[in-house]
Amino acid sequence: MFDPKIGMVPPMGWNSWNTFSWNINEELIRTTADTMVESGLLEAGYEYLVIDDCWSLRKRGEHGELVPDPEKFPNGMKAVADYVHSKGLKFGMYSCCGTHTCAGYPGSFEHEFEDAEQFASWGVDFLKYDNCFKPGHIDDPTLYRRMSTALRNCGRDILFSACNWGTEDVWNWIRSSGAQMFRSTGDIQDSWKSMSDIALSQMDKQPFSGTYCHNDMDMLIVGMHGKSDNDFIAVGGCTDVEYKTHFSLWALMNSPLMIGCDIRSMTEETKQILTNRDVIAINQDVECRSPYKVQCFGWSEKLFVLAKPLANGDYAIGMFNFGDKRAEAAFGFWDIGIPAASGRGLEFYDCWEHQSLGVETERHAVEIDPHDCKIYRCKVVKVR
Ligand code: GLA
């Protein structure tokens, strides 16, 4: 049954929570599926369409089954899944390891195996599994192993997206639970502060992420511009430059790329960010090697450089200015394994400008606007 492509590199898709939260229904899912195809998002790699919390009735049915809310989903979930599949997309749903979901709907605690089979019967390809309303005597490793085992034995390939917000040192045990991705932080908000705090909090966690088990830094806020039905998330929005930096960080740090904005009304700038193939290629690199901080003349939380080795021998380099003033960032090639004596330099390709910048030796320095970044793909070349 197992398809080795599932979860190998960071999953990409769209999730309903950031913008719509409880305001979800079949029409939204159908029109979003249409847009994922027509706008080129599917072609760029976004294949999962995921319905988050608030899709069911408040109580299970008489046989203990989860019941889709008939007002939101009048044709049931199989019909939604069929439509999503007919567009060439994969279908994701949501449940919780506790007795209730975070919004108070039935959770899968002690219903794990029957729920997994129900999801499989609807044609679900992805399950996000939250962390609310847990009985106090059971720890997360036990609860996530349970659902993982249930999914692995439900008769369908279902990607397991664990969402315990980084608690109980999740990075130590999540890979062996069987999950393909794991949320490592609390919920993102649509602001520069929330996004940049999440990124900084995960710098030292990078080595725990890799093929088949990816550090999920939460759904993207790219393109939300302060628009959400959820007041916790709608806290002002970011500029397009900040969204570009956000996307660059999530890509370079190997996070799953799950879009959170209303793509049906996204701007051209949003689309350009989300479909940047050069940046996506860095995220989807087959080896999923973690980036490291380049120790270039100190590493500060305002100005820093990340380097990620890619499968073909290239480097992905990200240079970030989290400060409030334009500033010069620089790194020496000796700090990423290329001493001048090697006779090698780097040929720079700018992944946002989509152009080659030529070959440099020993060092690269560049001025970066506040909250902006540079993402390069660098080829190691002989210079003498
Ligand atoms: C938690 C999760 C969010 C979202 C909500 C739904 O807060 O972290 O991503 O799924 O629950 O209630």
Side-chain angles (χ1 to χ4, degrees):
M1 210 31 214
F2 175 66
D3 174 353
K5 285 207 208 75
I6 293 176
M8 190 181 81
V9 296
M12 296 172 65
W14 177 90
N15 174 298
S16 57
W17 184 254
N18 277 2
T19 297
F20 300 99
S21 293
W22 38 88
N23 288 326
I24 50 174
N25 56 53
E26 182 173 337
E27 180 61 15
L28 167 70
I29 301 308
R30 282 178 178 257
T31 49
T32 298
D34 296 344
T35 307
M36 283 176 82
V37 177
E38 285 156 17
S39 64
L41 287 171
L42 171 62
E43 212 192 325
Y46 298 91
E47 57 175 345
Y48 289 100
L49 190 165
V50 182
I51 301 180
D52 207 281
D53 204 351
C54 308
W55 58 267
S56 76
L57 286 180
R58 292 267 175 193
K59 291 218 171 338
R60 286 180 178 265
E62 55 178 299
H63 304 296
E65 76 279 17
L66 293 165
V67 184
D69 183 334
E71 285 192 9
K72 294 174 179 169
F73 298 99
N75 300 303
M77 281 304 172
K78 175 88 170 60
V80 178
D82 287 349
Y83 188 78
V84 169
H85 290 148
S86 76
K87 293 273 154 180
L89 295 158
K90 292 182 174 173
F91 182 51
M93 288 190 72
Y94 165 100
S95 188
C96 185
C97 70
T99 58
H100 292 82
T101 71
C102 298
Y105 294 83
S108 291
F109 180 69
E110 293 199 332
H111 291 272
E112 292 88 355
F113 285 79
E114 66 204 72
D115 287 357
E117 281 188 0
Q118 192 172 13
F119 289 130
S121 75
W122 287 335
V124 167
D125 305 297
F126 176 116
L127 184 72
K128 174 173 170 182
Y129 205 52
D130 221 334
N131 202 235
C132 285
F133 298 106
K134 292 176 301 185
H137 60 290
I138 306 195
D139 61 14
D140 275 5
T142 305
L143 292 173
Y144 283 87
R145 274 178 212 141
R146 266 194 205 173
M147 187 45 114
S148 180
T149 305
L151 290 174
R152 284 165 174 264
N153 294 279
C154 72
R156 187 176 172 86
D157 284 339
I158 300 182
L159 188 153
F160 189 29
S161 163
C163 177
N164 92 330
W165 320 313
T167 61
E168 296 188 46
D169 295 344
V170 66
W171 47 88
N172 283 334
W173 51 267
I174 194 66
R175 175 176 286 276
S176 55
S177 79
Q180 281 88 1
M181 56 194 264
F182 60 100
R183 268 279 298 283
S184 49
T185 69
D187 291 9
I188 199 166
Q189 295 171 291
D190 186 13
S191 73
W192 168 260
K193 176 163 178 19
S194 169
M195 183 287 289
S196 53
D197 283 353
I198 287 178
L200 290 173
S201 79
Q202 293 310 300
M203 292 290 167
D204 293 330
K205 300 292 183 316
Q206 292 300 298
F208 298 99
S209 189
T211 48
Y212 294 110
C213 194
H214 309 279
N215 182 338
D216 172 11
M217 307 204 304
D218 209 350
M219 283 89 70
L220 299 166
I221 53 169
V222 174
M224 290 183 68
H225 290 296
K227 283 195 233 93
S228 171
D229 293 334
N230 187 326
D231 289 345
F232 173 79
I233 299 172
V235 288
C238 300
T239 63
D240 282 328
V241 165
E242 291 169 338
Y243 287 138
K244 165 192 157 191
T245 297
H246 163 39
F247 191 71
S248 301
L249 283 161
W250 264 232
L252 194 58
M253 294 173 77
N254 299 340
S255 176
L257 301 175
M258 303 299 291
I259 298 170
C261 71
D262 184 353
I263 55 174
R264 301 168 309 170
S265 55
M266 67 182 158
T267 62
E268 191 51 37
E269 289 80 4
T270 296
K271 191 166 134 185
Q272 292 301 324
I273 293 170
L274 292 172
T275 59
N276 183 327
R277 276 156 206 269
D278 294 324
V279 175
I280 291 173
I282 291 169
N283 178 261
Q284 297 287 296
D285 188 73
V286 69
E287 288 193 331
C288 300
R289 298 212 179 261
S290 52
Y292 58 93
K293 303 169 184 173
V294 182
Q295 298 297 334
C296 41
F297 206 57
W299 190 95
S300 84
E301 294 200 338
K302 289 236 157 94
L303 210 56
F304 58 88
V305 179
L306 298 177
K308 168 181 167 175
L310 301 172
N312 73 342
D314 291 356
Y315 275 107
I317 303 283
M319 304 179 77
F320 297 89
N321 181 1
F322 274 21
D324 295 325
K325 294 196 179 100
R326 188 173 166 86
E328 185 181 272
F331 74 101
F333 300 171
W334 49 87
D335 284 321
I336 61 168
I338 309 171
S342 66
R344 300 318 195 255
L346 289 175
E347 185 178 326
F348 279 72
Y349 176 84
D350 185 322
C351 294
W352 284 106
E353 298 300 326
H354 304 291
Q355 63 179 17
S356 182
L357 304 180
V359 175
E360 293 186 43
T361 52
E362 294 198 46
R363 166 175 202 272
H364 180 75
V366 62
E367 291 212 341
I368 306 178
D369 285 331
H371 297 186
D372 203 350
C373 69
K374 298 282 175 189
I375 300 292
Y376 303 115
R377 188 174 183 119
C378 297
K379 187 164 284 309
V380 181
V381 291
K382 282 191 180 166
V383 290
R384 61 161 199 270

